[in-house]
Amino acid sequence: MTHFEPPIHWKDYEDIAMKLYERFGDDFGEGKIYRIRFTDLHKWIMEIPNFAGKAEESNEGHLEMIQSTWVYEWRDNQK
């Protein structure tokens, strides 16, 4: 039985952050996450398997929210 995952869009910050954490794990800590270039972050988000957002729908606000949500996801997994 296949587990259906709904498509992820730009405003699904928690879903995106969880996918990035699953991909990079503890290789990216808080300081490193905040130093990621937005061009790299954008590319990695576009590579998420069920990501349905369009590249041109992205903006700096989305990327900042994703970045900070990823930090919270990372912190939650350090406990």
Side-chain angles (χ1 to χ4, degrees):
M1 184 170 165
T2 308
H3 176 70
F4 173 75
E5 288 195 29
I8 297 174
H9 297 277
W10 284 108
K11 290 189 177 185
D12 298 327
Y13 306 129
E14 285 189 23
D15 293 329
I16 293 169
M18 287 188 332
K19 293 293 184 187
L20 291 169
Y21 183 77
E22 285 170 15
R23 177 174 174 181
F24 296 104
D26 294 328
D27 291 346
F28 282 79
E30 184 170 345
K32 198 168 178 183
I33 292 169
Y34 280 126
R35 286 193 306 273
I36 294 168
R37 286 191 305 245
F38 280 171
T39 51
D40 291 334
L41 183 59
H42 187 276
K43 177 178 167 287
W44 297 337
I45 294 164
M46 296 302 297
E47 291 170 355
I48 293 172
N50 56 331
F51 186 74
K54 299 199 176 359
E56 62 273 12
E57 294 170 346
S58 167
N59 62 45
E60 199 169 305
H62 288 318
L63 295 172
E64 287 171 353
M65 282 299 298
I66 290 163
Q67 213 170 26
S68 58
T69 308
W70 184 3
V71 167
Y72 290 123
E73 183 66 25
W74 175 81
R75 283 183 190 158
D76 285 348
N77 282 282
Q78 302 311 302
K79 296 173 182 162

